Amino acid sequence: MADLAETVNYSTSTRLSVGIATIFMRVFKRDMKLAFRATGQWLNPLLFFVIVVTLFPLGIGPGPNMLATIAPGVLWVSALLAMMLSLDALFANDFRDGTLEQMVLSGHPLTVVVIGKVMAHWVTSGLPLVILSPLLGLMMQLPEGAYLVLVGSLFLGTLSLSFIGAIGAALIVSVNQGGVLLSLLVLPLTVPVLIFGSGAVSAAGMGLEISAQLSVLFAIVFLAVSLAPLAIAGALRVGVAAGR
């Protein structure tokens, strides 16, 4: 009997995990397809990132020492602002056409749906910035020892920014033209990520220890991935109820 009970419990947990994985993949693939159909959704942040970083050498001159000094901050601030461009549409389109309400009422774990949507947003909006950052770092005269740290810190930072920004996007989901409000909600929450991310790149460029900054970034990612989906799901339920 004990063996039978263990088998039943194992089968139930297996079906549950498979069901959760299936829900995640369906949401993730759907949002990826929609993002690539709407070219501006992933192309605009990338172009914004390139243009903003390119303007700094043109504005302050090509002096290598000056560019190397400001490069970590410029790259990080540009990446942060670029990601803000696509956050407004993370839930808004689904809210307008009624898809979000169906997701909330479907009975599926809303946190899993949220994680799928946020990961699709990061892959289309954050990951391209990470991949392109070494090229822009070269243009900004970033020291050689800082390139790997730049990629790693932006990888962790943009992932955190997607989850943190999604909280703000969920809070204003029922507000028309809430882009400015979204910025006011999200930007203060991103300050720690910006400080430790750019600080790690600056320290690596000067040959200093970076373990403290990277440890904080790992902690922020862990907290964001663990706690943000719960906050996002709660905000979406409130927003959908308010929008009925």
Side-chain angles (χ1 to χ4, degrees), residues 121-136:
H121 171 266
W122 176 75
V123 170
T124 55
S125 300
L127 189 57
L129 307 184
V130 177
I131 295 172
L132 191 62
S133 61
L135 180 60
L136 296 179

Side-chain angles (χ1 to χ4, degrees), residues 65-84:
N65 293 332
M66 176 64 75
L67 291 178
T69 301
I70 67 172
V74 169
L75 291 166
W76 259 92
V77 171
S78 301
L80 168 62
L81 295 177
M83 291 202 66
M84 291 293 299

Side-chain angles (χ1 to χ4, degrees), residues 1-17:
M1 292 296 292
D3 293 339
L4 179 59
E6 291 178 0
T7 302
V8 171
N9 290 335
Y10 176 77
S11 299
T12 302
S13 61
T14 302
R15 287 196 301 271
L16 180 60
S17 62

Side-chain angles (χ1 to χ4, degrees), residues 160-175:
S160 300
L161 293 174
S162 284
F163 278 92
I164 294 171
I167 298 175
L171 288 171
I172 65 161
V173 70
S174 60
V175 178

Side-chain angles (χ1 to χ4, degrees), residues 203-224:
M206 293 184 289
L208 302 177
E209 181 63 39
I210 60 171
S211 58
Q213 293 93 330
L214 293 182
S215 297
V216 174
L217 286 178
F218 272 111
I220 293 174
V221 169
F222 177 79
L223 290 174

Side-chain angles (χ1 to χ4, degrees), residues 76-77 79-84 87 156-168 182-198 216-217 220 224:
W76 259 92
V77 171
L80 168 62
L81 295 177
M83 291 202 66
M84 291 293 299
L87 281 174
L156 297 173
T158 53
L159 184 58
S160 300
L161 293 174
S162 284
F163 278 92
I164 294 171
I167 298 175
L182 176 62
S183 300
L184 294 175
L185 289 172
V186 173
L187 285 176
L189 299 177
T190 63
V191 171
V193 181
L194 175 63
I195 291 174
F196 289 102
S198 61
V216 174
L217 286 178
I220 293 174

Side-chain angles (χ1 to χ4, degrees), residues 23-32 116 119-120 123:
I23 295 168
F24 170 83
M25 288 307 300
R26 285 179 179 174
V27 174
F28 178 79
K29 290 179 179 178
R30 170 190 176 273
D31 278 35
M32 289 290 292
M119 288 304 299
V123 170

